[in-house]
Amino acid sequence: MASNHRLKDLLQLQLASDAYAVLHLPFVIESLSREDFQPSPHTQKWIARINSLIHSKDPGAKWSGLCLAFQTAVFSKDIMLECAQSWVAAAMPLLVNQPVPTTKAAIRLLRLVFSGAMDVPEFQRQLCVPIVPKFGNALIAITEKEANPEVFHLVIDTLAHIVSLYPSLCRPLHTVLSNAALRHLNGSAPNPTPVAMVEACSRLYSVLPLTGGKVGAAGLWRKALDDTVAFAWGAFLQLRTTYPSQAYANFPVPAPAAEDPVIGVPLALDRLKAGIQVIGDLLRATTARPVVLPVGSITRLCLALLQCERSDKYDAAVDPSVRSLEDAALPAIWASACDLLLSLSQSCQHHLAPHLPVLLSCLSYHLEQPQPPAHVARLLHTILACLKDGCQLQDDTLSSRLARATMPLLTIVLSKRSDMDTEAGQASAHGRSKKGKKRARGYEGDEVFKVGRGIICPTAEEGDVLLVAVDVLENFLRTQLSPPIRSLASRLLLSIYASLPHLPPAILSPDLSLHAQLYSRVQLACTHLSLGTTSTMGKALGFVLSVSDGTLSDNGAATVSTEVDLLLHPRVPPLVRSLPHVEMLSLFRAEESQEESEARANIGVGVVEERVPGRTGEAEELTSLVDNRTTLPPRAPSSRSIGDVQNAETPRGGERTPMQVDVAPPAIPSTVGTRVAEPVIQRTPPAPVAVQQPAVVAAQALHSPPSSLPPPPDPLPSSSAALGTRSTTASTAPPVTSAAVASVPADEDEDEPMPTIDLASDSDSE
């Protein structure tokens, strides 16, 4: 249908009669567009048809005419200015004694007319100034006798919108509007006030100070805030009647409630929630002039809410039923404290910095206690909001405590000890003897009864906890942390980053999008962690880049961030600065200190070698030898040690650096031409041995001139008689490095002769 003929076709077909207009109204509204209301001969016919529907005696036709007028005003401002006088005159009587759909449509149309032409002074003078006070009085009358919650919410939202646009015209209505808002903010019991109604009335109450004008608005706002804080204090003290405390000595103790505690405690809790909501809206409200924000009084209220806790000790005069009711309200009190602190941090920003240590100490205490996922997510959001607006902690003790409390929330992504033990047991079964394999066959049917790994985050709250915990931990890594906690947090994020690609999204959460969101946040945190400083890259940068494939993620963003690109291709020369301290770099398992090991054990995180069941003494000794490899004194390249391997099969793999986490014994690939090896670490066997094979030191070089070779060695003593003519076996055996220690199976033949090496063979061949 062409745009220039759409109005004509709609008038002839869908709007031909009042019944058709009601029946086809959804199709008509959906098919209209802004281009349809360009100047044309059908525009006046369209306006006349709308006016006829509005003045119809059929309630359905009136409703359809009001809806079409609203949609026409949205698409064409010129038509709205032309028809506003007639539409307002027809819609004002429809606010009372009409069906709910008609009343709602009339309110929406009048709200759009009064707010759609604020830039036309003549329109404001002729229409809005005389009609807006009447419109406000009509809406107030609706709030006093309307029981429909939909109409009530629409009326309250419209009043808040009109007061913010015309504060001077609504000044005579300030007292009436304040009473209408406070009537639903005083709480109710036993059924609490609906949340939507509390939010709507709170928004209306927060815009009422604007009626004082540019001069008096600041005073009205401060008075409203102080009254609300006092109201919240009174409701809070009603919830702590059985907990006398010196912290509240400055505030008058309220009189005992006359109603039953079953009614009084829920009523006080509902009032506290309403007061916190009003304080948050007042903090987010706009004022014409700067105001003095009482940060101290609001912070004291936050601390009082956060410092509440249960206690089993009470006097004989305390009613146990009242104590149990007040204890049951504690989670709601803590949630209100988090909401209040969240609003305060967003409004005050850096002005909250002097109060951050004591506030974050209370939050860390609650985070360390067992809490439901919804409350943990609320705590993490509050901590992140306090630290996001440029507020940094100067002491690393509190930040380390918060990081230590946050890390256990992320460990659920890693494999559990039982899973690691099962995998290790299956892997070790391949290297057992025949008797061990036969013994293990009796348990081959256990996999039938084994239940697979359950879903890690079955609810949306637990998934939110993971996402916010990553953001909080990344924020702490940018601040001052103690070296053990910084190292442990870095290793934890890197472990999660390496394990997430191998974790199916369905195992992580029923919401499959959580896996991509978590991976992107962990990747960003690891990237920022590995960038290091302006003069030194982090040690984990290569690992982070190796895990990322460099492709595009689900949202179209590159998995390798622009920070890495700028680091690899700098646009400006790097700053000349001193190298960072050792604790600023990414630390690994080989450099783990005793304090870091204790912190890791406290959060319930282990390493791979600690989780393998049935580890023998030789394996544990091998781990300690690999960790101590960095303490060996360096030797000259021309003097290397060559060890003997007794029929051992060395695993193939690249040589590992001393900073790596893994302690599996690596080895140099077995090649015929390899002659030079690393120094050998002599491993003492568990039982004393009568005779030991000494290590023979020789200088060998491949493809070097004969003049550089040393003279032949002296005849070897009798203890080295096993070393004879160079054999083929010795030429093909790979050299033993410092981490390549052979493990001989128990069922192998130990009487096989040792391969011999002729040290003078190279010189003779030359």
Side-chain angles (χ1 to χ4, degrees):
M1 186 184 301
S3 297
N4 53 354
H5 299 297
R6 184 177 287 115
L7 294 182
K8 176 182 177 182
D9 296 336
L10 291 176
L11 289 172
Q12 292 179 352
L13 299 176
Q14 282 78 13
L15 301 180
S17 63
D18 293 351
Y20 276 23
V22 177
L23 180 63
H24 299 289
L25 180 64
F27 172 77
V28 174
I29 293 178
E30 184 179 358
S31 60
L32 291 176
S33 62
R34 192 175 299 274
E35 290 77 11
D36 298 333
F37 297 98
Q38 299 295 332
S40 66
H42 306 289
T43 304
Q44 295 300 324
K45 298 179 182 179
W46 178 266
I47 296 174
R49 182 55 180 151
I50 290 177
N51 291 331
S52 65
L53 289 173
I54 293 176
H55 292 85
S56 176
K57 296 182 179 180
D58 185 12
K62 290 182 178 181
W63 169 72
S64 62
L66 293 172
C67 293
L68 290 176
F70 178 84
Q71 200 69 21
T72 303
V74 170
F75 287 138
S76 177
K77 184 178 179 180
D78 296 335
I79 297 179
M80 184 198 70
L81 294 176
E82 178 183 351
C83 305
Q85 188 74 34
S86 60
W87 288 350
V88 168
M92 284 293 294
L94 300 179
L95 296 177
V96 292
N97 301 327
Q98 293 293 329
V100 172
T102 305
T103 303
K104 293 173 60 178
I107 294 174
R108 293 172 66 241
L109 176 61
L110 293 173
R111 174 177 175 173
L112 179 62
V113 169
F114 292 141
S115 61
M118 298 294 297
D119 55 340
V120 184
E122 190 64 22
F123 178 82
Q124 296 289 319
R125 185 182 66 82
Q126 293 183 3
L127 183 65
C128 297
V129 171
I131 302 297
V132 164
K134 300 179 181 179
F135 181 53
N137 287 321
L139 293 179
I140 292 173
I142 294 176
T143 59
E144 293 176 354
K145 60 181 180 180
E146 183 59 49
N148 193 326
E150 296 182 2
V151 177
F152 181 82
H153 296 160
L154 179 61
V155 168
I156 295 296
D157 288 338
T158 304
L159 283 173
H161 186 68
I162 294 299
V163 169
S164 62
L165 293 179
Y166 303 96
S168 59
L169 296 178
C170 297
R171 185 178 302 172
L173 306 176
H174 179 272
T175 304
V176 182
L177 292 175
S178 178
N179 295 334
L182 293 178
R183 187 183 305 115
H184 299 278
L185 294 175
N186 199 28
S188 64
N191 296 326
T193 309
V195 178
M197 185 177 296
V198 172
E199 293 177 352
C201 294
S202 177
R203 287 193 297 268
L204 174 60
Y205 186 77
S206 62
V207 299
L208 290 181
L210 296 176
T211 58
K214 293 183 178 180
V215 178
L220 290 178
W221 179 88
R222 179 60 186 270
K223 182 179 182 301
L225 184 59
D226 292 340
D227 294 343
T228 308
V229 171
F231 176 77
W233 268 112
F236 168 69
L237 294 179
Q238 286 287 351
L239 294 171
R240 307 296 291 176
T241 56
T242 61
Y243 287 93
S245 177
Q246 298 297 329
Y248 320 131
N250 297 331
F251 299 93
V253 179
E259 62 270 7
D260 186 19
V262 179
I263 302 297
V265 173
L267 178 62
L269 183 60
D270 196 29
R271 289 176 177 176
L272 178 62
K273 292 180 180 179
I276 299 300
Q277 180 68 35
V278 173
I279 293 175
D281 288 336
L282 286 173
L283 292 176
R284 288 186 290 268
T286 58
T287 55
R289 293 186 178 183
V291 295
V292 179
L293 183 62
V295 182
S297 61
I298 301 177
T299 304
R300 284 193 296 271
L301 178 59
C302 289
L303 288 176
L305 297 177
L306 288 174
Q307 291 173 355
C308 296
E309 58 181 357
R310 294 182 177 90
S311 177
D312 297 333
K313 299 179 181 180
Y314 53 88
D315 300 334
V318 174
D319 189 357
S321 61
V322 179
R323 170 64 66 90
S324 62
L325 289 174
E326 294 180 356
D327 289 344
L330 280 180
I333 294 176
W334 295 335
S336 301
C338 292
D339 295 339
L340 179 58
L341 186 54
L342 189 64
S343 303
L344 185 63
S345 62
Q346 293 174 352
S347 303
C348 298
Q349 298 182 358
H350 62 278
H351 297 287
L352 192 62
H355 307 278
L356 271 184
V358 61
L359 290 172
L360 292 179
S361 297
C362 296
L363 292 176
S364 63
Y365 170 77
H366 287 284
L367 197 60
E368 292 168 353
Q369 307 304 317
Q371 303 285 354
H375 188 56
V376 173
R378 194 185 299 268
L379 288 172
L380 291 175
H381 279 292
T382 306
I383 294 173
L384 186 62
C386 292
L387 298 175
K388 184 176 291 184
D389 298 321
C391 297
Q392 302 295 338
L393 296 176
Q394 302 299 328
D395 186 13
D396 60 351
T397 303
L398 181 57
S399 58
S400 300
R401 180 184 178 184
L402 287 168
R404 192 184 297 108
T406 306
M407 283 187 287
L409 304 175
L410 296 173
T411 56
I412 60 174
V413 182
L414 302 177
S415 299
K416 296 183 179 179
R417 185 179 298 273
S418 58
D419 300 334
M420 295 295 298
D421 293 346
T422 303
E423 296 176 1
Q426 295 176 356
S428 61
H430 297 286
R432 295 176 180 172
S433 60
K434 295 181 179 180
K435 294 182 180 180
K437 292 180 180 178
K438 291 180 181 179
R439 193 179 300 108
R441 288 173 185 170
Y443 304 97
E444 289 181 354
D446 287 351
E447 64 271 8
V448 179
F449 304 99
K450 180 182 178 182
V451 181
R453 186 177 180 183
I455 299 178
I456 299 176
C457 301
T459 60
E461 290 81 5
E462 297 180 7
D464 190 21
V465 167
L466 280 181
L467 297 178
V468 186
V470 173
D471 296 339
V472 171
L473 199 58
E474 179 193 5
N475 192 288
F476 282 129
L477 287 173
R478 298 181 182 181
T479 60
Q480 294 184 3
L481 284 177
S482 61
I485 300 301
R486 177 181 293 276
S487 172
L488 187 58
S490 305
R491 291 165 54 196
L492 178 61
L493 288 176
L494 292 174
S495 301
I496 296 175
Y497 180 53
S499 62
L500 273 180
H502 306 285
L503 183 66
I507 296 296
L508 182 62
S509 174
D511 184 11
L512 301 183
S513 62
L514 178 64
H515 189 277
Q517 298 177 15
L518 180 62
Y519 182 77
S520 62
R521 297 197 183 190
V522 173
Q523 183 185 42
L524 183 62
C526 292
T527 303
H528 292 164
L529 173 68
S530 60
L531 290 182
T533 61
T534 56
S535 58
T536 304
M537 290 188 297
K539 293 184 179 181
L541 181 60
F543 171 75
V544 172
L545 294 181
S546 64
V547 174
S548 175
D549 54 359
T551 58
L552 295 178
S553 59
D554 297 337
N555 56 0
T559 56
V560 178
S561 59
T562 56
E563 289 87 349
V564 178
D565 180 69
L566 292 177
L567 185 64
L568 298 178
H569 306 87
R571 304 296 186 266
V572 294
L575 298 178
V576 180
R577 294 181 180 177
S578 60
L579 294 179
H581 299 287
V582 176
E583 58 265 18
M584 296 299 295
L585 303 177
S586 298
L587 305 181
F588 293 90
R589 173 71 178 90
E591 298 180 349
E592 186 177 35
S593 61
Q594 181 66 23
E595 185 178 356
E596 181 180 354
S597 177
E598 294 176 356
R600 176 172 55 80
N602 291 335
I603 67 174
V605 178
V607 293
V608 177
E609 58 268 18
E610 294 178 355
R611 298 179 179 178
V612 178
R615 176 176 286 275
T616 61
E618 293 185 358
E620 295 177 356
E621 190 175 4
L622 172 62
T623 303
S624 63
L625 289 174
V626 175
D627 290 341
N628 296 332
R629 199 179 88 179
T630 56
T631 62
L632 292 177
R635 297 187 180 183
S638 59
S639 178
R640 306 285 178 107
S641 298
I642 301 177
D644 299 331
V645 181
Q646 299 181 1
N647 197 16
E649 181 178 356
T650 306
R652 299 173 181 268
E655 183 179 359
R656 301 187 183 275
T657 59
M659 292 293 296
Q660 288 216 357
V661 181
D662 299 329
V663 294
I668 299 178
S670 176
T671 55
V672 178
T674 303
R675 303 285 181 86
V676 183
E678 294 289 337
V680 177
I681 299 178
Q682 296 292 337
R683 179 171 58 87
T684 306
V689 183
V691 181
Q692 296 183 355
Q693 295 290 343
V696 182
V697 181
Q700 296 182 353
L702 187 62
H703 303 294
S704 59
S707 59
S708 62
L709 294 176
D714 297 334
L716 297 175
S718 58
S719 61
S720 301
L723 299 179
T725 309
R726 181 180 181 183
S727 60
T728 307
T729 306
S731 63
T732 58
V736 180
T737 62
S738 60
V741 181
S743 60
V744 182
D747 55 352
E748 294 292 341
D749 188 8
E750 298 181 357
D751 298 333
E752 186 175 352
M754 181 186 302
T756 59
I757 300 176
D758 189 2
L759 299 179
S761 59
D762 291 341
S763 301
D764 295 341
S765 61
E766 294 296 339

